[in-house]
Amino acid sequence: MPAEYPTLLPREPVVTAAEMRAAEAAAVAAGTSGFELMCRAGEAAAAGIAAFYGPAPVLVLAGPGNNGGDGYVVANALRQRRWPVEVAALAPPATEAAQQAAALWNAPVMDIADAEPRFVLVDALFGTGLTRGLEEPLLSQFHALARASSVVIALDLPSGAATGDGTALSPLVRADLTVTFGAMKPSHLLHPAAASCGRVVVADIGLGEIETRLFRNGAAPTAVLGADTHKYRRGHVLVVSGAMAGAAWLAACAAQRAGAGYVTLASETAMPPSSLVVQPLGAIDLARADAVVLGSGLGRDAAARTRARRVLGAGRPMVLDADIFSLFADDPASVFGLGAVMTPHEGEFARLFGDLPGSKVDRARAAAARSGNVIVLKGPDTVIAAPDGRAVINDHASARLATAGSGDVLSGMIAAHLARGEAPFDAACAAVWRHGDAALRGRDGLIAEDLVGLIR
Ligand SMILES: NC(=O)C1=CN([C@@H]2O[C@H](COP(=O)(O)OP(=O)(O)OC[C@H]3O[C@@H](n4cnc5c(N)ncnc54)[C@H](OP(=O)(O)O)[C@@H]3O)[C@@H](O)[C@H]2O)[C@@H](O)CC1
Ligand SMILES: [K+]
């Protein structure tokens, strides 16, 4: 990679419930008790709550497990700050640590059925130990209390959210703030659960670095161009157009704005003169392209297939998008094993990989392993997975990206990163972040052309 493009910054780990339990067990084996961890968690959550909201009446809903235990610690810590606090429990604390935390509270605890709403509701019902959806009458009472509260704060996870796959096991209460412990969990980033977490704050409870291969996408480092750079050093992107020239044109413009020094549009249709080089495919030396976008605007007819095969054979770093997933739905082997970046949305993904089991992360990982390509499984919670099992969830995005052409822009951006020598996984992560960043700086009514102008 040219020296002017720094490598990616460290990313935030995202851990599963099992990884979290293993980290907790390791801490306990090393001499820190579960109760000590719970105290750190509850104290940190109380400090977070006090940082966001002034002293106000609080109702803590405590479940039977350690999430409930955290709730008792929060109640005690806020009471020590002279906040008026009440606690309502679903059942008596069932774990030793939670019993110690309840002893710390050492004040009356009411039944949830008798609880009245207060300004702040702290949801300490269930966290990573949730095994099934909330049942009646708890579910209705929980929602009623939340509706009548001004602020809802979830400890670790909104109760009802599974930890690992973003699903809601029962209807979720939308929190304003979720204080989680040690590291983010997949459901803080995967939808629909992510939409119910509100602002997510990670409290350090001294577990150290938790080993994982899943991360939250982080900012792409800014390119610092050397004074001696030149357009080819910044990378030559080729976008192969076809029946839908507009989509390919968008990808090409996005590649330019994302930093490619030279962009060629392979098109048989003449276009107005511009900084894009437009040439018929037959006149292009494919070996000179540092990265290729294949699929955006390509079309789905026999001619598109012939064009695609010719370009695939060139073995260049590649972004495979849009029409590629239809063109090769019956022959996926032709687009596998290329070390390329594939950017399907859910529908396109199903065309190529069928109905894979598991979470969005599981499915993207399985597809990456099967295809030998980096998979960018797009959506509000885009997942990027490499064949070696690394995966990243991107939440730096906006619903404004749900507009025609937005995917073509992303493809061009990924190609710009590939063309400057970045590895496919890094290129995809960086471009997805910048793509979301552009949309976040946009306004409602944003269209793909605007997005190109907003790339930074
Ligand atoms: N890991 C760490 O390092 C640290 C973790 N900490 C905290 O611990 C939390 C995890 O605690 P946890 O494992 O005790 O599970 P938790 O979420 O409290 O629920 C389990 C209980 O609920 C019950 N239950 C489940 N579903 C139910 C339902 N639908 N309806 C009714 N009951 C249901 C279940 O019973 P059962 O399934 O056996 O019926 C069991 O009694 C974690 O989120 C974090 O907050 C911190 O203290 C700091 C250190
Ligand atoms: K909770």
Side-chain angles (χ1 to χ4, degrees):
M1 190 188 308
E4 59 225 46
Y5 297 115
T7 49
L8 289 176
L9 308 168
R11 299 196 187 95
E12 242 180 278
V14 179
V15 310
T16 62
E19 287 166 338
M20 202 59 206
R21 276 193 290 273
E24 183 185 21
V28 170
T32 308
S33 71
F35 177 57
E36 171 61 30
L37 292 174
M38 183 175 282
C39 287
R40 291 179 193 167
E43 295 283 354
I49 294 167
F52 282 105
Y53 307 98
V58 179
L59 172 66
V60 177
L61 300 184
N66 289 336
N67 195 253
D70 297 345
Y72 290 105
V73 178
V74 167
N76 185 45
L78 290 176
R79 180 176 59 182
Q80 284 173 344
R81 286 175 165 82
R82 302 190 180 287
W83 290 38
V85 183
E86 290 164 86
V87 178
L90 176 64
T95 71
E96 196 186 325
Q99 283 157 6
Q100 287 174 277
L104 208 62
W105 169 244
N106 189 27
V109 173
M110 69 189 111
D111 191 287
I112 285 191
D114 303 325
E116 294 287 334
R118 297 291 177 250
F119 190 85
V120 177
L121 181 73
V122 175
D123 160 18
L125 286 170
F126 307 105
T128 54
L130 185 81
T131 50
R132 54 197 184 279
L134 276 62
E135 286 153 19
E136 293 297 356
L138 171 65
L139 185 62
S140 295
Q141 170 71 343
F142 177 36
H143 278 260
L145 289 169
R147 271 195 306 275
S149 306
S150 296
V151 174
V152 177
I153 293 154
L155 299 191
D156 213 6
L157 288 154
S159 296
T163 307
D165 64 4
T167 55
L169 300 185
S170 51
L172 299 180
V173 158
R174 205 191 149 95
D176 298 285
L177 171 69
T178 296
V179 183
T180 189
F181 311 116
M184 275 198 165
K185 317 296 176 311
S187 288
H188 295 124
L189 298 168
L190 294 176
H191 289 279
S196 290
C197 292
R199 178 195 288 254
V200 180
V201 173
V202 180
D204 180 8
I205 55 168
L207 292 176
E209 205 167 303
I210 302 171
E211 204 161 313
T212 178
R213 305 212 76 199
L214 179 63
F215 299 88
R216 181 187 195 187
N217 204 15
T222 311
V224 181
L225 299 177
D228 61 343
T229 200
H230 52 77
K231 64 188 176 190
Y232 292 114
R233 187 166 174 199
R234 298 184 68 194
H236 175 196
V237 169
L238 169 66
V239 180
V240 182
S241 181
M244 304 270 284
W249 180 82
L250 269 175
C253 294
Q256 288 183 303
R257 290 285 179 203
Y262 194 99
V263 180
T264 302
L265 188 63
S267 173
E268 280 59 37
T269 315
M271 295 215 181
S274 75
S275 52
L276 281 177
V277 178
V278 182
Q279 286 181 310
L281 183 60
I284 294 170
D285 179 1
L286 295 174
R288 297 197 61 188
D290 295 313
V292 181
V293 177
L294 187 61
S296 299
L298 187 63
R300 299 179 183 184
D301 53 8
R305 211 176 164 99
T306 307
R307 272 167 98 73
R309 286 207 183 279
R310 174 166 178 191
V311 176
L312 287 167
R316 305 307 299 149
M318 219 168 283
V319 183
L320 301 175
D321 189 17
D323 294 329
I324 281 293
F325 306 116
S326 303
L327 280 172
F328 291 95
D330 59 348
D331 176 24
S334 290
V335 287
F336 285 180
L338 303 174
V341 179
M342 301 183 113
T343 58
H345 56 59
E346 288 282 0
E348 292 165 338
F349 184 87
R351 243 168 262 159
L352 221 53
F353 298 104
D355 191 13
L356 294 176
S359 71
K360 189 166 181 177
V361 174
D362 297 335
R363 293 184 292 117
R365 272 182 171 145
R370 187 194 292 179
S371 68
N373 297 322
V374 166
I375 301 294
V376 177
L377 182 47
K378 296 184 291 194
D381 44 8
T382 293
V383 172
I384 303 135
D388 65 9
R390 282 172 299 158
V392 154
I393 309 173
N394 183 73
D395 68 330
H396 191 68
S398 160
R400 295 184 194 117
L401 286 172
T403 181
S406 147
D408 303 308
V409 171
L410 176 62
S411 292
M413 294 178 73
I414 297 172
H417 279 264
L418 285 175
R420 67 196 208 189
E422 292 178 15
F425 183 69
D426 294 343
C429 291
V432 165
W433 194 91
R434 291 176 75 193
H435 185 246
D437 194 62
L440 287 166
R441 281 182 281 99
R443 57 177 177 85
D444 291 346
L446 174 129
I447 59 171
E449 283 86 343
D450 303 333
L451 202 54
V452 172
L454 286 162
I455 295 169
R456 256 191 207 156

